[in-house]
Amino acid sequence: MKVNLLSLKGQYGKIEKEVLDGIKKVCASQHFILGENVRGLEEEIAKYLGAGYAVGVASGSDALILSLMALGVGYGDTVITTPYTFFSTAGSIAILGARPVFVDIDPLTYNMDTEKLESALKKDRAGKIKAVIPVHLYGQCADMTRINKMAKGYGVKTIEDAAQSIGATHRGKKGGSIGDTGCLSFYPTKNLGGFGDGGMVTTNSKTLAEKVRMLRVHGSKVRYYHELVGVNSRLDEIQAAVLRVKLKYLGGWTEKRVKNAGYYSLLFERAGLLDYATPPHIEDSNSSVFNQYVIRAKKRDKLREYLKEKGIGTELYYPLPLHLQKCFKYLGYKRGDFPVSEKAAKQTLALPIYPELKKSEIDYVVSTIKDFYGG
Ligand SMILES: Cc1ncc(COP(=O)(O)O)c(C=O)c1O
């Protein structure tokens, strides 16, 4: 049996006609930039998340950069995030000339450890910290209740990196609608993935939404008159047309991911594997959308090799924490600074979880893991 980490072909087969119809309409209109599909998708996503506004941009990475720019973060400022995330969470800070400061993660959820956030905020006597970017890793929200409360107390803004978590909830609110801004990615492997790059900034602030709208078109409201120095970062009409079709199915796909995750966890327990391959921990206050199903595994690298031999695709999210990346050497961090992230980078393994995955395939993955541990 062969089980890929992700296959999008089954999903495409079911929506092919609708998607191609949407693309054809865009082609017939010859209106490719900032038209009715982008406007429509912005409204639909804002409604889906319960956020006031949504602004389509070229990628999730740009959503982070434009959020920081809209919040006035720039040269000499400091922004807090975790070292256990996709590169662009911290790259977006550095590219603006601001300094990423890392705080470690919680060992169970892999999300920002709020105690450590508090110590970092307390230490900042010079008031350089302008914002914090919690990441809703693998599809589960960070503790936005505590993070927002602390940020307010210290006069710091919150940017939710919701690239992996569209539809996930924290205390009944959807991720991306809780902080000052939220950042979505429509990269093809995301739960709502386009046919190329795409992203969105969400917010409840009209002022911030308007600022991001300007920033994505070189800082102008009226063409050729520039109030701000912005960038060219727009979601295009073809992507928006595809995403509008897919959004209608997102709820159903998410339910299937959640069901698959539940089935995996049940099988791990039944197989007596919990001490060898620990399933994800979801907080009671959260519902995860399982963009990834990530276990903590003993002898992780050997297990991964074994699974590969048996035709099972896996991935490491992420093998090298950001504080140890070459490009961040100038920040002065060293190995041992963030032990929880460093340990997670050595122990975690993402298994196939996509909606169309069959029960028999999950059975195969877990029984192969059991074979590996000599069960
Ligand atoms: C946590 C996280 N942040 C940011 C991004 C950046 O999104 P994009 O690839 O659309 O630029 C991604 C996705 O790759 C991500 O997983």
Side-chain angles (χ1 to χ4, degrees), residues 59-61 64 85-86 88-89 135 161 163-164 185 187 190 198 318:
S59 67
S61 304
L64 288 160
T85 172
F86 180 64
S88 69
T89 317
V135 184
D161 184 339
Q164 298 182 6
S185 164
Y187 184 75
K190 300 299 192 244
Y318 296 90

Side-chain angles (χ1 to χ4, degrees), residues 258-283:
V258 172
K259 218 168 156 192
N260 289 346
Y263 188 52
Y264 260 123
S265 300
L266 179 76
L267 292 187
F268 278 121
E269 195 180 340
R270 276 197 198 147
L273 282 169
L274 295 183
D275 290 336
Y276 301 91
T278 315
H281 167 87
I282 308 302
E283 294 283 304

Side-chain angles (χ1 to χ4, degrees), residues 151-178:
K152 272 210 179 86
Y154 286 88
V156 163
K157 302 293 183 191
T158 51
I159 297 169
E160 294 175 75
D161 184 339
Q164 298 182 6
S165 70
I166 186 163
T169 64
H170 169 71
R171 298 197 188 282
K173 282 190 182 160
K174 289 216 169 88
S177 72
I178 314 173

